[in-house]
Amino acid sequence: MSPTEAERYDPGKMEPHWQKVWDERGTFVTADDDSREKYYVLEMFPYPSGRIHMGHVRNYTLGDVVARFMRAKGYNVLHPMGWDAFGLPAENAARDNKAHPRDWTYRNIANMRGQLKALGLSLDWSRELATCDVEYYAQQQRLFLDFLDAGLIDRRKSRVNWDPVDHTVLANEQVIDGRGWRSGAPVEQRELNQWVMRISQHAEDLLTSLGDLDEWPEKVRVMQRNWIGRSEGLLLRWRIVDGTAPQGIAELETYTTRPDTLFGASFMAVAPTHPLAMRIAVDNAEVAAFIDKCQRMGTALEALETAEKEGVDTGIRVAHPFDGEWELPVYVANYVLMDYGTGAIFGCPSGDQRDLEFVHRYSLPVIPVVMPADADPASFTIADEAYVGDGVMINSRFLDGLTPAEAFEDVANRLGNAKLDGRPQAERKINYRLRDWGISRQRGWGCPIPIVHCDNCGIVPVPHEDLPVELPDDLSFDKPGNPLDHHPTFKHVSCPDCGRDARRETDTMDTFVDSSWYFARFTAPRAETPTIPEIADAWLPVDQYIGGIEHAILHLLYSRFFTRAMRQTGHLNLDEPFRGLFTQGMVIHETYRSAEGAWLSPEEVRIETVAGGRRATEIASDKPAEIGAVEKVSKSKRNGIDPDHMLKIYGADTMRWFMLSDSPPERDVEWSEAGIEGAARFVQRLWRIVADAAAILAAEAGPDGAAHFDPVALERAAHRTLAAVTDDIDALRFNVAVAKIYELANGVSKAIAAVTGTGAGPAERAALETATRILVQMVGPMMPHLAEACWQALGNTELLADTEWPRPDPAMLETETIVLPVQINGKRRAQIEVAQGAPESEIEAAVLSLEPVTRILAGRAPRKLIVVPDRIVNVVI
């Protein structure tokens, strides 16, 4: 259908048509043997919850613009799609519906695949995968065994959150106010045998390599640096005062990054699971009860940080390393972590807020040891806030007057040379906050761990030839705990080594494992090995990775570790998985409540503009509704926008255009009716512009020398816009590119109006054709269906998706400047030099920045700003 056959563009007909054309022609299927330079663009794959949301629409639109743009620029683009498909929601649905989680998952995948296809994404669906596909998790099991052989995985006792009702380990995020998120039962800390990936052995490499990721947002790199948490400090041994500790315990070892503050120490503290605490608890009921209480707190750092600081005095005393007469009490404290340092600290309340809260609770002394350089040591005190800044040492004997850095060195040298029981009392040590990654989960819908436990042979890896270890077809979720553990046959197996009866491992892998290598699997998704190394090395790293900031730490860190592990085991030969990273903002929307206080969805509310603002009414009851805050779209507050609903009303291109145009992609975008309506109007306007241009170009030419508009100026504007938009898309400044496309559309529209009814001369026709073609091509990556229809309407037979990105004419980019006088209320006050044919918006911005103009306006906006092209600018105050 061409613009001449219908006044309005109909996305309901056009979009399915072009999607079918692309699909039938295999337009976006990627070949590995293509000689063009590669470009790999990937959005973080979704969990198949059943329906996409507007966050998905935005995420995949951003990636699709990049993929289409780079393809038009001549690259061989890989743009695949898959599903992060294992996880607890499927188990919950299986329990509720008495069905296998596989059925629920694949049904959801089918529905969401259809929704994504309706968006017109240029995806290579031939590479589609789901992490619950046997062919995917079979290769993940091979990776597990290879990592095990390479020493990258081991099995050890780890402290975990345990739900005593659901009989499963909970992630920190699943512990809410000390209770299991699903059962509501008080969570316990338990030590369980866990399979652990040894990510900590790569801590220094993961940290230092962040410096090479210059195409990542700095905020993400900072978050990763903080998570890895490299620190330089002292491993310090404290002598326990004779007779205060159980027999055989003579010293307490701490790790500290602030040995300069030793003279501010007022207590020692050990973690509830520290060996010393556990030994004391044997004979001390108070300590035992406190440890039991702490074990019900969960292990989330956030919970420990915000919990009230509590402890119990063990009765043990240690001697200060610089003063044997100075004895410090040893507490068990709820905020000290066993998995950081040695699990023991010395408390310096003047320099640590947590320690300060602790000593206030137990009436222990506070000795200021660091003060600002300009403070008075005689009057400097610490009240309710610790001093954590730099400065000079006070109340620290031989350290007084030194900076903390100088004091650090002095203490390190003195204690490094001091002896305790014949050994140095302290040694310098580098420590990391990063801990090894426990991957064991007591869940049935996950990748089985390919291990057999044999009473005779111990832990036995499943032989490669016996893979995959498949999930049973008859999983039952009727009982609490892991369905694999109480399955009648799954765990009963013969030992691969001795043939005796043995037990299959029933834990499955953390779903973060599934998403830590999928980007590599996309390069050869049907291979009988995890990767085909030469193909993976040709495609990787991912050139542009796009996803939410919520994955800035764990997913990205685990993926970086996996890349190193896969290199170590011969599956890849590269350092980093993602060359470029972009984290898009969220989709937000205002919230609504009914007169009774219930949350209402946007579809249930009628919004009207009234005197003094806006009014909301619940449609069903015709009662007033409350307009609430603008927040992230969520199910709980029902402020999400249904993409299917918007698709039916406006079409995919309108949604895509709105997502790109409303705000910078790294910031949140607020969904609004005004915004989507504006995008819809531009869709129709562009359709009419192309229709009118096509009609003019098809009509008989006007006389030579026609002067209805300046053809050189139009062509120059088109090529300059093209150059600018090309740079903007390259830099992911999509909203800026959209604004420039609007300006060119205005220019083309004015040119069309100038020649309508009179006929365009040859030069005008050529300029109009060039500008209109460039306009359509620039819109192509953003609104691909509309652009294909417009491209066809302009007489082209090839697909726009197969058309090379236009190149700006260098001659048209040469800048010729003119001087424009600037009048304020009719009086000349200044002048500006601008490029000939510069857009009005550019001229207006330049005028408003002039000193005489800003001085006279004094912060007010002008009543009018009139630009007479190439003549003069009038500012009316």
Side-chain angles (χ1 to χ4, degrees):
M1 184 183 298
S2 71
T4 57
E5 295 171 338
E7 182 180 349
R8 291 185 59 81
Y9 176 78
D10 185 354
K13 292 182 179 179
M14 288 291 194
E15 291 179 354
H17 166 74
W18 290 112
Q19 291 161 17
K20 182 179 179 183
V21 170
W22 296 327
D23 188 49
E24 290 176 345
R25 299 191 185 188
T27 301
F28 306 119
V29 174
T30 305
D32 294 323
D33 58 356
D34 194 307
S35 61
R36 294 174 297 171
E37 186 177 352
K38 72 94 178 178
Y39 193 89
Y40 187 174
V41 57
L42 182 65
E43 305 90 353
M44 295 180 185
F45 64 170
Y47 179 78
S49 60
R51 299 184 65 79
I52 65 170
H53 52 69
M54 280 299 177
H56 291 130
V57 174
R58 191 182 197 201
N59 189 33
Y60 299 125
T61 295
L62 297 179
D64 195 52
V65 172
V66 175
R68 287 177 177 273
F69 174 69
M70 298 305 292
R71 192 172 186 272
K73 287 180 69 176
Y75 288 85
N76 183 31
V77 173
L78 176 58
H79 186 208
M81 175 54 66
W83 310 93
D84 192 8
F86 277 133
L88 202 53
E91 290 195 9
N92 293 339
R95 178 182 291 106
D96 295 341
N97 300 316
K98 307 297 182 185
H100 197 289
R102 181 190 299 114
D103 301 333
W104 182 85
T105 299
Y106 282 111
R107 185 167 58 249
N108 288 352
I109 287 174
N111 187 57
M112 292 177 69
R113 183 191 301 117
Q115 291 181 296
L116 292 180
K117 285 188 173 183
L119 294 176
L121 304 174
S122 60
L123 293 164
D124 182 356
W125 285 102
S126 71
R127 296 177 185 250
E128 181 184 9
L129 58 82
T131 57
C132 64
D133 293 341
V134 175
E135 65 177 351
Y136 185 88
Y137 71 72
Q139 302 309 323
Q140 187 162 295
Q141 291 170 348
R142 285 182 166 82
L143 288 176
F144 178 97
L145 296 176
D146 290 349
F147 290 4
L148 186 65
D149 287 343
L152 291 162
I153 293 178
D154 62 17
R155 193 167 188 258
R156 67 179 80 140
K157 284 200 170 185
S158 299
R159 188 154 293 274
V160 297
N161 300 314
W162 179 258
D163 188 314
V165 172
D166 281 347
H167 301 285
T168 185
V169 170
L170 300 178
N172 286 333
E173 295 75 18
Q174 295 171 321
V175 180
I176 302 172
D177 296 329
R179 295 179 177 272
W181 69 283
R182 189 174 60 189
S183 71
V187 170
E188 302 171 359
Q189 288 186 39
R190 286 191 180 181
E191 277 198 343
L192 296 179
N193 284 316
Q194 300 276 289
W195 289 100
V196 176
M197 290 202 177
R198 302 177 66 186
I199 187 173
S200 64
Q201 65 181 224
H202 289 276
E204 184 64 25
D205 181 31
L206 290 167
L207 179 66
T208 57
S209 296
L210 287 169
D212 299 326
L213 296 176
D214 53 6
E215 294 181 45
W216 281 38
E218 179 58 22
K219 62 181 177 182
V220 173
R221 294 195 288 177
V222 167
M223 292 167 75
Q224 292 224 348
R225 288 189 190 102
N226 292 341
W227 189 264
I228 295 169
R230 185 184 191 273
S231 62
E232 297 183 15
L234 283 189
L235 201 61
L236 174 59
R237 298 160 59 224
W238 301 68
R239 179 177 62 82
I240 291 179
V241 175
D242 293 344
T244 63
Q247 188 172 3
I249 301 176
E251 65 180 51
L252 179 62
E253 190 174 57
T254 64
Y255 172 78
T256 177
T257 61
R258 295 297 306 272
D260 52 295
T261 64
L262 270 172
F263 287 102
S266 59
F267 68 97
M268 311 292 291
V270 298
T273 53
H274 191 282
L276 180 59
M278 304 303 286
R279 174 65 185 83
I280 293 292
V282 173
D283 302 312
N284 188 317
E286 185 182 10
V287 171
F290 182 75
I291 292 173
D292 182 65
K293 177 182 177 181
C294 292
Q295 288 180 331
R296 298 182 184 279
M297 287 179 60
T299 62
L301 291 178
E302 294 81 0
L304 296 175
E305 287 289 339
T306 57
E308 188 174 2
K309 308 302 178 285
E310 295 182 307
V312 60
D313 191 345
T314 64
I316 298 174
R317 299 294 182 263
V318 300
H320 194 282
F322 287 122
D323 186 344
E325 300 300 317
W326 183 354
E327 297 182 1
L328 299 171
V330 179
Y331 283 76
V332 180
N334 63 351
Y335 67 98
V336 180
L337 302 175
M338 188 60 218
D339 61 354
Y340 181 78
T342 65
I345 65 165
F346 75 84
C348 177
S350 66
D352 186 288
Q353 191 64 32
R354 297 168 304 171
D355 293 344
L356 185 61
E357 293 173 18
F358 188 84
V359 300
H360 282 335
R361 182 180 181 91
Y362 296 105
S363 301
L364 297 171
V366 179
I367 306 170
V369 288
V370 182
M371 72 171 188
D374 58 354
D376 179 4
S379 60
F380 182 74
T381 58
I382 298 293
D384 295 325
E385 186 174 341
Y387 179 71
V388 296
D390 203 1
V392 296
M393 306 302 302
I394 58 173
N395 301 323
S396 298
R397 305 187 187 185
F398 53 83
L399 300 176
D400 283 354
L402 299 180
T403 66
E406 293 168 339
F408 182 111
E409 291 300 316
D410 194 323
V411 170
N413 291 334
R414 288 175 187 255
L415 293 180
N417 293 322
K419 301 293 183 183
L420 182 63
D421 295 333
R423 293 186 295 130
Q425 191 161 5
E427 61 179 286
R428 296 174 187 264
K429 182 177 177 61
I430 294 174
N431 199 29
Y432 298 92
R433 180 177 181 268
L434 180 66
R435 293 293 166 261
D436 285 335
W437 172 17
I439 66 166
S440 296
R441 297 293 181 268
Q442 293 70 40
R443 294 176 188 153
W445 187 235
C447 175
I449 294 175
I451 292 292
V452 170
H453 300 276
C454 176
D455 292 337
N456 183 55
C457 303
I459 293 174
V460 182
V462 173
H464 277 73
E465 60 269 21
D466 291 343
L467 295 179
V469 177
E470 290 194 48
L471 292 169
D473 290 330
D474 55 345
L475 280 176
S476 171
F477 297 89
D478 293 337
K479 301 178 183 178
N482 184 354
L484 295 177
D485 197 42
H486 53 67
H487 189 273
T489 61
F490 177 81
K491 66 181 179 182
H492 303 296
V493 66
S494 298
C495 174
D497 285 355
C498 69
R500 298 182 184 181
D501 289 344
R503 301 173 306 282
R504 193 186 299 281
E505 174 68 69
T506 57
D507 285 353
T508 54
M509 297 186 204
D510 180 11
T511 54
F512 271 117
V513 177
D514 310 337
S515 59
S516 292
W517 71 285
Y518 77 109
F519 51 88
R521 183 63 179 173
F522 274 135
T523 65
R526 311 294 171 243
E528 296 183 358
T529 51
T531 66
I532 299 176
E534 59 270 24
I535 295 178
D537 293 342
W539 278 113
L540 292 169
V542 174
D543 295 281
Q544 187 62 67
Y545 196 38
I546 301 172
I549 191 69
E550 66 271 18
H551 299 295
I553 298 178
L554 294 183
H555 164 60
L556 292 175
L557 193 63
Y558 292 156
S559 296
R560 296 180 65 219
F561 162 71
F562 245 75
T563 302
R564 287 157 172 77
M566 291 177 75
R567 178 183 61 191
Q568 187 173 332
T569 51
H571 298 289
L572 296 173
N573 186 28
L574 69 148
D575 298 324
E576 293 287 344
F578 313 118
R579 175 181 289 119
L581 173 69
F582 186 83
T583 54
Q584 87 281 359
M586 298 182 296
V587 179
I588 59 178
H589 193 277
E590 62 187 9
T591 53
Y592 310 104
R593 282 184 185 270
S594 70
E596 292 73 29
W599 296 107
L600 299 173
S601 70
E603 290 81 10
E604 295 173 317
V605 176
R606 181 173 64 252
I607 303 293
E608 300 168 287
T609 302
V610 296
R614 298 162 66 240
R615 179 174 63 200
T617 304
E618 184 180 4
I619 296 172
S621 67
D622 207 32
K623 293 180 180 179
E626 176 189 346
I627 300 177
V630 174
E631 300 185 33
K632 175 187 176 182
V633 297
S634 67
K635 291 181 180 179
S636 62
K637 296 185 177 177
R638 303 190 64 205
N639 64 330
I641 302 297
D642 181 7
D644 279 351
H645 183 64
M646 291 295 109
L647 194 70
K648 291 176 183 176
I649 297 174
Y650 297 106
D653 283 341
T654 297
M655 286 199 296
R656 290 169 62 118
W657 187 255
F658 172 75
M659 288 294 184
L660 296 166
S661 63
D662 191 69
S663 65
E666 68 274 13
R667 297 182 187 171
D668 294 346
V669 58
E670 181 180 353
W671 185 271
S672 69
E673 289 298 320
I676 193 69
E677 287 286 354
R681 285 194 298 271
F682 183 71
V683 166
Q684 298 302 329
R685 182 169 178 238
L686 183 62
W687 183 240
R688 290 194 301 271
I689 286 173
V690 171
D692 293 341
I696 291 169
L697 296 174
E700 188 173 330
D704 289 341
H708 305 97
F709 65 87
D710 184 347
V712 175
L714 181 61
E715 279 203 75
R716 192 183 298 278
H719 283 276
R720 287 178 176 172
T721 302
L722 172 61
V725 167
T726 301
D727 290 343
D728 289 333
I729 297 179
D730 262 326
L732 308 183
R733 296 188 298 263
F734 303 122
N735 63 309
V736 179
V738 164
K740 291 169 182 172
I741 290 172
Y742 274 129
E743 288 186 5
L744 181 60
N746 290 338
V748 173
S749 183
K750 289 178 182 178
I752 290 171
V755 298
T756 298
T758 62
E764 292 172 329
R765 288 166 61 89
L768 181 60
E769 181 175 15
T770 296
T772 306
R773 287 173 66 91
I774 287 175
L775 177 62
V776 171
Q777 287 177 283
M778 290 190 301
V779 168
M782 303 179 183
M783 294 193 287
H785 313 90
L786 173 64
E788 289 283 11
C790 291
W791 191 243
Q792 185 185 64
L794 289 173
N796 299 289
T797 55
E798 78 278 17
L799 287 177
L800 180 58
D802 291 334
T803 302
E804 184 179 350
W805 187 257
R807 300 188 181 191
D809 183 348
M812 290 289 177
L813 302 181
E814 293 179 4
T815 303
E816 297 179 13
T817 61
I818 58 174
V819 176
L820 298 179
V822 177
Q823 292 187 164
I824 301 178
N825 288 346
K827 293 184 179 181
R828 179 167 175 162
R829 300 287 189 178
Q831 64 183 33
I832 57 169
E833 185 175 353
V834 297
Q836 189 171 23
E840 285 190 14
S841 58
E842 184 178 314
I843 296 172
E844 290 173 359
V847 168
L848 291 175
S849 67
L850 291 172
E851 190 277 332
V853 177
T854 58
R855 175 167 41 81
I856 294 173
L857 285 174
R860 296 169 297 168
R863 283 168 48 203
K864 289 183 181 179
L865 200 157
I866 305 166
V867 178
V868 181
D870 300 335
R871 297 272 308 274
I872 196 170
V873 181
N874 284 306
V875 180
V876 181
I877 298 177

